[in-house]
Amino acid sequence: MPITYNEKKRSFKLTANNTCYMLQVVSYGYLAHIYFGKSLPDNDLTYLLRLDENPFTPKTNDHDRTSFMNTLPMEYPVFGIGDYRKHAISIMDKNGASTCDLRYKSHKIYNGKPKLEGLPATFTNSDNEAQTLEVVMEDKPAGLEVTLVYTAFEKLDVITRSVRVKNAGSDNVKLTRIYSTCVEFNDDKMDMITLNGSWARERAVERCRLHRGKQLVDSMRGESSHQSNPFTALCTHNADEDSGEVYGFNFVYSGNFVSEAEVTQHKKTRYLMGINSCDFE
């Protein structure tokens, strides 16, 4: 099956042809990203999170890695809980507070791919071509439910993602940012490929090495635009058209967008893509 759940480890494995994607519910209900890459036979890759390692200081501290939100590879990072890297969602509640604290609530796995009503989206011809995982995260104080939707195509190296937000409380909450995806890479030695251009000269390939800090392409034109195409690829330095590791991201949406990679002080890379948060509410 393309999607499996390990109840003991509380981990999910998505298999799309030769591609593997894994995430896990860790301490306190936070959702961590484990792996994204070529298919691996091992169904338990939770050791990649290194949860049993001591933090760098003090040496005798026995807290696991999830005690430090700024180092945990988050599956869908939020604002205001001690993770100072770029976040995927932020809010404003009735009191003006912007902290969002999403924790695992439930999940379900089913055949097929759901439609995104009113939005462009990929699709399947039959329910046998793909499986979908929906993970419901909740912020109890804010009364929010955020559903992370993943679909793994059985015969294609494609995993799609989308996000739904529901106000399950009694007060109004403003969304000030809502991205569609976040992927954590345990490496910084990567290039970023973008497709830029102008009228009649669209999709010019540009390739730059990632550096410490943030790199992005975006559009605030009300459309995805030919100036910056909503496509990005992250690849190893030696990758070409015949060999190497390449991770492609395409935003299936024709409006404002942002595609951003951040290399942290620990030489890890966080990649995010979604609706541009500039003047978004």
Side-chain angles (χ1 to χ4, degrees), residues 84-126:
Y84 298 99
R85 298 162 291 180
K86 198 66 178 281
H87 51 283
I89 182 174
S90 57
I91 66 172
M92 185 70 71
D93 68 16
K94 66 174 184 177
N95 299 314
S98 55
T99 296
C100 184
D101 190 6
L102 294 178
R103 310 201 187 194
Y104 170 84
K105 180 181 180 181
S106 63
H107 76 273
K108 62 180 179 180
I109 300 171
Y110 55 90
N111 292 333
K113 182 182 186 298
K115 294 181 179 180
L116 301 181
E117 297 296 338
L119 292 171
T122 55
F123 59 91
T124 59
N125 293 316
S126 70

Side-chain angles (χ1 to χ4, degrees), residues 103-262:
R103 310 201 187 194
Y104 170 84
K105 180 181 180 181
S106 63
H107 76 273
K108 62 180 179 180
I109 300 171
Y110 55 90
N111 292 333
K113 182 182 186 298
K115 294 181 179 180
L116 301 181
E117 297 296 338
L119 292 171
T122 55
F123 59 91
T124 59
N125 293 316
S126 70
D127 288 346
N128 296 325
E129 295 179 6
Q131 267 196 330
T132 295
L133 164 68
E134 295 192 5
V135 181
V136 180
M137 308 289 290
E138 65 175 349
D139 181 339
K140 289 184 178 179
L144 280 184
E145 288 186 358
V146 176
T147 302
L148 309 179
V149 184
Y150 307 77
T151 297
F153 287 74
E154 187 171 5
K155 296 182 179 180
L156 300 173
D157 290 290
V158 174
I159 296 174
T160 64
R161 291 186 59 174
S162 60
V163 179
R164 294 198 309 267
V165 182
K166 175 184 176 182
N167 188 344
S170 56
D171 297 319
N172 289 334
V173 178
K174 294 181 180 180
L175 287 176
T176 56
R177 174 179 298 168
I178 180 73
Y179 288 168
S180 297
T181 191
C182 175
V183 179
E184 304 268 15
F185 293 94
N186 194 33
D187 192 7
D188 67 332
K189 297 178 178 60
M190 306 176 80
D191 294 347
M192 185 174 184
I193 299 175
T194 56
L195 304 177
N196 311 307
S198 58
W199 185 85
R201 295 179 295 279
E202 299 89 351
R203 294 190 299 279
V205 179
E206 186 164 342
R207 181 168 179 167
C208 301
R209 289 203 171 193
L210 292 183
H211 54 72
R212 205 72 59 90
K214 302 178 180 70
Q215 291 174 242
L216 64 87
V217 292
D218 69 349
S219 174
M220 297 183 291
R221 299 170 179 267
E223 60 184 7
S224 55
S225 83
H226 47 249
Q227 288 83 7
S228 297
N229 191 283
F231 167 86
T232 304
L234 298 183
C235 62
T236 53
H237 295 327
N238 63 343
D240 56 26
E241 294 189 10
D242 299 311
S243 64
E245 295 184 10
V246 182
Y247 305 86
F249 301 89
N250 191 68
F251 193 40
V252 187
Y253 177 68
S254 56
N256 291 350
F257 79 95
V258 63
S259 171
E260 181 171 358
E262 179 181 7

